[in-house]
């Protein structure tokens, strides 16, 4: 009769829409724990075909199963997990066959699952600033990798299979515990940047690096034990 017609509010139990128009779920720096994140995805609508998930800077100790169960793993292209408290990555990530970027730097990872070697579309992998002591032996099966960040871990060696990465442009291995590098590094014909600084126990560089004709930056600061190249060359800095 006399009252204005109001807009009907959506029911309180309506599904939350997490994904934006570009198919991205952007939940960085929300203070989310695994339980809260899992609940969000369980109740969410429109996440099945997301292409990008950003969960940087939260308080995640694990990636909940409900997140991976809610999405089409074969549609995911980018996953950002930097700056959480993750102690492991789920093996189910190996099913993300279209994943091109995986960022999980600044966590508490001591190992990563072998299933990561199944990510044949991967172009960028960041596992820097974790607690890794080793890498999957067949990581080189991710043959499209162009940029790999592994700095700030506890690696004493890297798998020889990395020499299969013929598209590799940049490799960060600084601030680890490396003793040596694979002899077959000469296959990195497109490599432009190799950062090895802060590996105090590294004794020598493989002769194969001499075949990396595209190399522009070689970081060696803090490699106190390095015999080859000579210490005076190392002291000249990354352009030497």
């Amino acid at each position: 009769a006399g009252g204005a017609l109001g807009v009907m509010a959506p029911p309180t139990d309506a599904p939350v829409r997490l994904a934006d128009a570009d198919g991205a779920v952007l939940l960085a720096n929300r203070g989310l724990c695994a339980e809260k994140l899992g609940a969000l995805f369980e109740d969410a609508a429109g996440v099945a075909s997301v292409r990008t998930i950003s969960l940087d800077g939260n308080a995640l100790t694990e990636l909940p199963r409900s997140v991976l169960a809610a999405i089409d793993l074969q549609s995911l292209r980018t996953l950002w997990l930097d700056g959480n408290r993750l102690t492991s990555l789920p093996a189910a990530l190996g099913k993300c066959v279209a994943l091109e970027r995986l960022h999980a730097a600044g966590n508490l990872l001591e190992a990563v699952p072998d299933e990561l070697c199944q990510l044949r579309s991967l172009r960028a992998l960041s596992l820097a600033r974790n607690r890794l002591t080793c890498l999957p032996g067949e990581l080189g099966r991710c043959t499209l990798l162009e940029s790999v960040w592994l700095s700030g871990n506890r690696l004493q060696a890297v798998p020889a299979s990395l020499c299969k990465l013929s598209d590799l442009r940049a490799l960060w291995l600084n601030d680890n515990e490396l003793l040596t590098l694979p002899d077959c590094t000469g296959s990195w014909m497109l490599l432009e940047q190799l950062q090895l600084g802060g590996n105090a126990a590294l004794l020598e560089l493989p002769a194969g690096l001499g075949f990396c004709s595209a190399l522009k930056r070689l970081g060696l600061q803090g490699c106190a034990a390095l015999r080859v190249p000579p210490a005076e060359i190392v002291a000249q800095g990354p352009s030497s």
Side-chain angles (χ1 to χ4, degrees):
L5 185 63
V7 178
M8 182 179 293
T12 55
D13 59 350
V16 177
R17 180 164 290 275
L18 291 181
D20 62 18
D22 296 321
V25 174
L26 307 177
L27 293 173
N29 303 308
R30 302 291 182 90
L32 294 171
C33 64
E35 182 179 0
K36 290 182 179 179
L37 178 66
L40 276 177
F41 271 79
E42 285 177 355
D43 298 333
V47 297
S49 59
V50 296
R51 296 168 58 89
T52 298
I53 298 179
S54 174
L55 299 170
D56 294 355
N58 283 289
L60 302 176
T61 56
E62 63 177 353
L63 188 60
R65 293 181 181 178
S66 55
V67 173
L68 299 179
I71 66 174
D72 177 6
L73 296 177
Q74 297 186 10
S75 296
L76 191 63
R77 299 292 193 275
T78 304
L79 179 59
W80 295 84
L81 298 167
D82 294 343
N84 280 282
R85 303 171 188 170
L86 297 171
T87 57
S88 64
L89 295 176
L93 286 180
K95 298 179 181 179
C96 300
V97 294
L99 193 67
E100 297 177 358
R101 303 185 67 91
L102 174 58
H103 294 259
N107 281 284
L108 303 173
L109 302 174
E110 296 185 0
V112 291
D114 290 341
E115 285 78 4
L116 258 61
C117 302
Q118 300 171 16
L119 302 178
R120 305 298 179 84
S121 299
L122 202 62
R123 295 184 179 274
L125 174 64
S126 178
L127 297 171
R129 305 188 312 281
N130 278 285
R131 300 175 178 179
L132 299 175
T133 58
C134 62
L135 298 168
E138 294 302 317
L139 190 59
R141 290 166 60 186
C142 304
T143 54
L144 296 183
L145 274 170
E146 298 176 359
S147 300
V148 180
W149 293 265
L150 296 168
S151 53
N153 280 288
R154 302 170 182 175
L155 299 172
Q156 293 188 357
V158 295
S161 69
L162 291 190
C163 294
K164 299 177 183 178
L165 303 180
S166 56
D167 287 341
L168 192 65
R169 263 81 168 173
L171 176 59
W172 284 264
L173 287 166
N174 45 299
D175 300 315
N176 276 282
E177 301 172 8
L178 292 177
L179 302 175
T180 185
L181 288 174
D183 293 332
C184 53
T185 52
S187 61
W188 295 335
M189 300 300 294
L190 300 180
L191 188 70
E192 297 179 356
Q193 181 169 192
L194 176 60
Q195 295 296 336
L196 297 169
N199 285 286
L202 185 64
L203 292 176
E204 60 183 12
L205 300 180
L209 280 181
F211 295 98
C212 298
S213 56
L215 192 62
K216 298 176 182 176
R217 296 188 62 84
L218 175 60
L220 296 171
Q221 293 84 355
C223 298
L226 196 62
R227 297 194 299 254
V228 179
E232 56 269 23
I233 297 297
V234 175
Q236 294 178 18
S239 60
S240 54

